[in-house]
Each structure stands twice: as structure tokens, then as C-alpha cells.
Amino acid sequence: MAADPSPHPRAGEPVFDLHLGGKMETVATVGLSNKEDLSLAYTPGVAQVCEAIAEDPSYTRHYTWVPNTVAIVTDGTAVLGLGDIGPAAAMPVMEGKAVLFKQFGGVDGVPICLATTDVDEIIETVVRLAPSFGGINLEDISAPRCFEIEDRLKERLDIPVFHDDQHGTAVVTLAALQNALRLTGRNPESTRVVISGAGAAGVAIAKILLEAGVKDLVVTDRKGVVSSDRSDLTPVKKALAELTADRTGRSGTLADAFAGSDVYIGVSGGTIPEEIVATMADDALIFAMANPNPEVHPEVAHRHARVVATGRSDFPNQINNVLAFPGIFRGAFDVHATAITEGMKLAAANALAALVGDDLTEELVIPSPFDPRVGPAVAAAVAEAARRDGVARV
């Protein structure tokens, strides 16, 4: 990899030294040792492949890199916990995402950072780029725009479109929760769940938990429980209220929601006062996933909960999206899926949860990203679900 030979501005700082020249490159999969190799890889031989694809576009799935390549698309408006830092500053994260796709799923990822935040422009740009890719991974796009962008792209494209901040987080959260419920002898139908944060992750987690059988679920934002008795709800929050708090008649403040609850899932930032945390039920489960500062610090959480999870790698039970998205796309690509369905997401969560097996403890409700079984197990479950849901081409 070529890099600027001159000293770089932050030389000697390990993280900047690692990023020098970027974190990825393209590598040829065929050799070019002589003119015969050249004539097959490029002109004149390549023309035969082009003509064949022109006659039958399905040949693209066999004779190009397209079906194993995902576009990692962002507008830089919700990058990590840094917020709206723009497309240029988002590139190191998108490169990192591409590295994770390759390392944990064998999927080629191309970072695409768009210099627009206009919903229509983003959608039109991605639609025009889509012939070059087997799938679209939306990343770090702020809510509520991210919901419309994903929904409209799904309508227009016949390849998987997946907003990882929503669905990757939801899949891993559900997997960890399934094991935590098993450990504490609970079942989803009788478990009271509170989610703080009604953005991309909060909405997706709520939806997948409902799919998994949770009945008593509320989502809170800065103004309290998201319920239809409020007059300030956006269309997304209004729909969310109808699926959650309205069904049980719950409303009020965050403290009202916490009292007697079994599970807290935080995807909001901020800090939950300990006196509120203390009102949860016995053997509570706390997933405080804001990074780098969890909504409930693990030291506090352990005083009131049996199982504690965070988004950080320096505490047990890390809710890490890398457990989900590489395997989900690997499985979708293996069967040339046209979409990623709810059934495929549930299958991914179930496969992740099952890997813990008899090793289940309070400190281990989710496998490590470095467990070599993770990617293949998720991919196999997703591929099977794609066939079952009728979106597999092979």
C-alpha cells in the first residue's frame, strides 16, 4: 500500500500510525504473468463475458465480484457517538466496517461517503450505484431520515438493503436477551422491557423483540414514555407507540417505566440515576449500550441486576454488531437473496444465542466476535431462512 513518505501530522500515536494510508486496499484474485493472462483478464477475452452478461444479466452473479460485494453507504450524520461530523470524517469508520466484513464474513465492502444529506439525493445515488453491488449496508445515517431511506431503497432494489445501526444492533441484543432470560428463568411473553432511545437502534430493537414474543414493552425518549397520549410524536414515534406502550396502557416518565421492570435496554446516552435503577425487579437485566459511557455504569448496574451488558469491549457481554452483519450478508449472498427479511434477522439472533449453549453464565450471554463459529453459524441460519421466506435465488 502506497503512503505519503513524509512524516504524518500525528506520527508516534498508535491509532494514527495504524491508519496511515487507510486500512484497506483492492487486491487482484487473478495473476497477470504473461500476455495470455492479460488477454483473458482484459481485452479481448473480457468482451466475451460482457456480451454474455448483456444477453443474460444473471451471469453477473457468476462472473463478476458483484454478488460478494456490499456498498457501505453513509452521509456522515450519525457517526459512532460523534454525531454529524460529515462524510470525510466518516471514512475511517466505513473503512473499518469494510475490514470487518472481510475478516468475519469473507464479504468485500466498498466505503461510500456521500456529500449530501438530502433524502431523495441519497436514494437516487444509491439506486444508480446498485448495479455494482450485491447488497447495500446503510451506516451512520441519522434518524428519522434513515427509516425513510431504507424503506424506499428496499422498494426500489432487488438486492439486500440493511441499516446496520438498526438491525445489526437489534439482532445481537435479541440474542443476548434470549440467553439472559434463559439464565433467569423468564419467558418473553411475561417479561417487562424498557428501552431508552427512540432512534434507529431503539425502534429496531423494539420491533425485533415484539417479533420474538415480548408483550410488555415501552420505549422512552427525553420526554418520557413514547405513548399516543403525547401530542409531540413524529410519525415514526407514533407508530412505535401503537406497537408498544399503547398496548399495555403505559405512559408517564422514565421513572414510571422503570418501576418493577425486568429488563432495561439503553441506546440513548445520558445517565440513568441509580435511585431509578434500584426500582427494577429482582434478577433484573441491564443492557446499557451507549458508547463510550453506558447509561448505567456496570459498577452501578451490578448492584441491582443479575446480568449486565454494554457496548464496550472492556466489560463482559459486549453487544457488538460485528457478531451479526458479516454473517447476515454472507448468508444472504450465498443464496443470492433479494432482500433481508424479518425471518432472516430472527434466525441470525437464534443462531448467535445457541452458540453460548451450556457455557451460559452471568458473564457470558453472547459469544465473542472472535469465536470462529459465529460467522458460519449466522450465515447458515440466514441462508436457510432466506429459502424459507422465498427471497433466495438459489
Side-chain angles (χ1 to χ4, degrees):
M1 181 189 303
D4 185 348
S6 62
H8 57 98
R10 303 290 285 269
E13 297 181 47
V15 69
F16 285 92
D17 289 345
L18 180 143
H19 281 79
L20 184 61
K23 297 192 291 284
M24 56 183 293
E25 63 182 355
T26 58
V27 178
T29 60
V30 296
L32 297 176
S33 309
N34 51 53
K35 66 180 183 179
E36 286 76 19
D37 291 343
L38 186 60
S39 70
L40 289 173
Y42 200 56
T43 185
V46 72
Q48 296 180 45
V49 182
C50 295
E51 290 174 335
I53 293 172
E55 291 180 10
D56 184 352
S58 71
Y59 274 34
T60 302
R61 301 202 297 267
H62 305 286
Y63 301 112
T64 74
W65 82 328
V66 166
N68 195 59
T69 306
V70 60
I72 307 167
V73 179
T74 189
D75 63 359
T77 55
V79 181
L80 300 177
L82 304 174
D84 186 356
I85 60 174
M91 181 56 83
V93 178
M94 302 309 117
E95 285 186 9
K97 200 83 174 188
V99 171
L100 297 177
F101 264 116
K102 191 67 172 179
Q103 178 72 26
F104 295 106
V107 171
D108 294 303
V110 178
I112 297 176
C113 299
L114 300 178
T116 178
T117 60
D118 181 84
V119 168
D120 291 331
E121 289 184 357
I122 291 171
I123 291 167
E124 292 304 321
T125 301
V126 174
V127 168
R128 283 163 173 72
L129 290 171
S132 298
F133 300 99
I136 307 295
N137 184 90
L138 301 173
E139 191 76 21
D140 292 350
I141 299 173
S142 62
R145 298 156 51 258
C146 60
F147 303 115
E148 181 181 357
I149 291 169
E150 184 187 39
D151 289 344
R152 288 172 58 186
L153 285 174
K154 284 180 176 179
E155 290 174 359
R156 295 185 61 178
L157 299 178
D158 64 350
I159 57 176
V161 177
F162 186 82
H163 184 204
D164 187 50
D165 301 312
Q166 291 185 62
H167 310 301
T169 306
V171 165
V172 182
T173 300
L174 175 58
L177 183 61
Q178 286 175 334
N179 280 329
L181 293 178
R182 179 161 65 95
L183 186 68
T184 56
R186 292 182 170 96
N187 62 70
E189 293 78 10
S190 60
T191 297
R192 278 191 57 197
V193 179
V194 177
I195 299 172
S196 70
V203 171
I205 292 169
K207 289 181 177 179
I208 202 170
L209 294 190
L210 292 170
E211 289 279 347
V214 172
K215 306 291 186 186
D216 193 343
L217 170 62
V218 298
V219 180
T220 68
D221 61 12
R222 293 175 183 175
K223 296 184 179 180
V225 173
V226 177
S227 62
S228 291
D229 62 357
R230 286 172 45 181
S231 60
D232 62 336
L233 299 183
T234 64
V236 169
K237 289 185 180 181
K238 175 67 174 173
L240 183 62
E242 292 170 355
L243 292 172
T244 57
D246 291 1
R247 294 184 175 182
T248 55
R250 299 194 185 279
S251 61
T253 66
L254 176 68
D256 295 327
F258 256 81
S261 62
D262 300 298
V263 179
Y264 166 67
I265 298 171
V267 282
S268 60
T271 300
I272 309 295
E274 184 169 1
E275 58 267 26
I276 293 179
V277 177
T279 67
M280 295 182 71
D282 293 340
D283 279 352
L285 313 175
I286 293 179
F287 291 9
M289 302 190 298
N291 252 324
N293 300 311
E295 295 90 345
V296 183
H297 191 277
E299 183 179 328
V300 174
H302 278 296
R303 292 201 284 265
H304 306 284
R306 184 168 172 189
V307 176
V308 177
T310 71
R312 289 173 44 156
S313 60
D314 53 346
F315 293 109
N317 298 324
Q318 184 189 20
I319 308 299
N320 190 332
N321 288 20
V322 77
L323 289 162
F325 68 81
I328 288 174
F329 271 92
R330 175 76 277 143
F333 284 175
D334 286 347
V335 296
H336 301 296
T338 58
I340 294 173
T341 65
E342 295 304 312
M344 293 159 75
K345 297 171 201 171
L346 287 172
N350 293 338
L352 272 177
L355 290 176
V356 174
D358 294 337
D359 295 328
L360 178 64
T361 67
E362 286 82 357
E363 302 284 288
L364 181 61
V365 297
I366 195 75
S368 163
F370 296 101
D371 185 331
R373 302 172 299 164
V374 167
V378 171
V382 167
E384 181 181 350
R387 293 190 178 99
R388 188 166 58 245
D389 290 349
V391 297
R393 291 188 176 103
V394 295

